[in-house]
Amino acid sequence: MAIYDLIIRNGNIVTSDEIIQGDIAISKGKIKEISRGTNLNAKALREINAEGQHILPGLIDTHVHFNEPGRTEWEGVETGSRSLAAGGVTTYFDMPLNSTPPTINKENLELKRACTEEKSIVNFRFWGGLVPENIEDIKELHENGVIGFKAFMSPSGIADFNHVDDITIFKGMNEIASIGSLLAVHAESTIICDQLAEEKQRQNSTSAKDFVDSRPIISEIEAVRRIISYAEATGCKLHVVHASSRKVVEIINEAKQKGLDITVETCPHYLSLTLKDLEEKGGVAKCCPPLRDDQEVDQLWEAIANGEIDVIASDHSPAPADMKTVVDGDYFVAWGGISGAQSTLNIMLTEGHFNRQLSLERIVELTSTNPAKLFGLYPQKGVISVNSDADLVMVDLNESFELKKEDLFYRHKHSPYIGKEFKGKVTTTIVNGQVVFENGNITSVEKVEK
């Protein structure tokens, strides 16, 4: 009789294709055996009874800002990776900006890798940056393992991570295409946003609505149309991050239908928060692109149901509370970034599955399987199958809870989701066969390798 490291028994196993009842046997970080409807005739060093719970592939959060090295006073790998584990995320991709120095060359990449290997309790990958000064570094970054490249078409807000002009982005896309990688873009029009913001501030119009009006959906549309034309000319694979409106998604899907290799991400905050939340919660709900209205939220969910969106990612972009504070009603000054990495699955379950009847299989596709396929991690990750990595999250769909400040593992315990009632609770997170989160607590684990 086989003896495994861990057996999870009697769970409802969810993949992007189906839900089955059965057992999962794990050894040396891999799934070794899966039963369908019958108990495995095997023993293990530990068994978990998952009766009544659902087992999903661990989430792959392709968009987080952990700011290390150099800005750990904002967030760090230790607290950030723990918050991800508490939310059922087993792999994340750390963005190249916000850390000091930014990940724009091999030397800076190795600095980030060293501190991440030391502190992360979940799996990780890194984005490289595309900035005006580093086109010659792109190939070396790719050879040293970056998952792709990130560029800002408008100012990033970070002094040492410059946004790209049209010539830089075109040349960069040519280089990225030549090495078979992809470019992720923050797509907002600098001209539109800057001119509208200047006019608002000149008139002392600095309310939440004024800020949102200064970054309209047409700004995203203009930038996306422009970058699509460059992708068509260069053959560069393109990934548009944090689309805030279905109107943006529709343009991307038109390009897909023409044969372009392009994908689109949206975020939990665009699926659950609105301008009203920004007005009521203040700077903790400020982000760029900004929150929209109820109609835009509903239309994004329609796009998800219709298969128009490829990936859901948190865009966790934390900052200290004083940077998120709106002073004298001026929403233009507060830092723009949502702290939400711990709540992605909760939002998808509550707002998607329970409130809008989105299937669990579709949630798995958006949060795990599609990211794994898009970034070359499938079938090692993003699926529950024999020989795949034992990266799993267990969820009790019958349990509800109110998110409280003390539940958060972030360095700064603020989030626009505090006080929100969620249905469906993460009970256990398993990374490479190790239980890293269980019953509300981080367990004692070894740091994981890439």
Side-chain angles (χ1 to χ4, degrees), residues 120-190:
S120 183
I121 68 166
V122 302
N123 299 300
F124 53 86
R125 298 291 193 278
F126 304 114
W127 287 97
L130 170 60
V131 293
E133 61 267 30
N134 85 325
I135 291 177
E136 293 182 356
D137 295 291
I138 286 174
K139 184 177 181 181
E140 188 174 44
L141 280 165
H142 174 69
E143 291 171 346
N144 282 273
V146 299
I147 204 76
F149 295 85
K150 170 70 178 293
F152 275 72
M153 299 178 73
S154 57
S156 71
I158 300 295
D160 51 1
F161 194 93
N162 297 313
H163 71 288
V164 289
D165 56 42
D166 286 353
I167 293 174
T168 296
I169 203 164
F170 193 92
K171 289 181 176 179
M173 292 175 78
N174 262 324
E175 182 68 13
I176 291 166
S178 74
I179 58 176
S181 188
L182 86 166
L183 177 68
V185 289
H186 178 125
E188 289 183 286
S189 165
T190 301

Side-chain angles (χ1 to χ4, degrees), residues 83 87 268 339-348 403 408 410 415 417 422:
S83 68
S339 290
Q342 193 169 317
S343 301
T344 296
L345 183 54
N346 295 131
I347 290 164
M348 295 303 295
L403 183 66
L408 296 173
Y410 307 142
S415 169
Y417 306 122
F422 289 117

Side-chain angles (χ1 to χ4, degrees), residues 56 59 106 133 157 204 206 215 238 248 269 278 297 311 346 353 372 378 401:
L56 286 62
L59 275 67
K106 178 185 176 183
E133 61 267 30
N204 292 318
T206 59
R215 304 183 86 101
L238 189 63
V248 177
H269 40 276
L278 180 59
V297 171
V311 172
N346 295 131
H353 181 63
Y378 187 89
F401 70 100

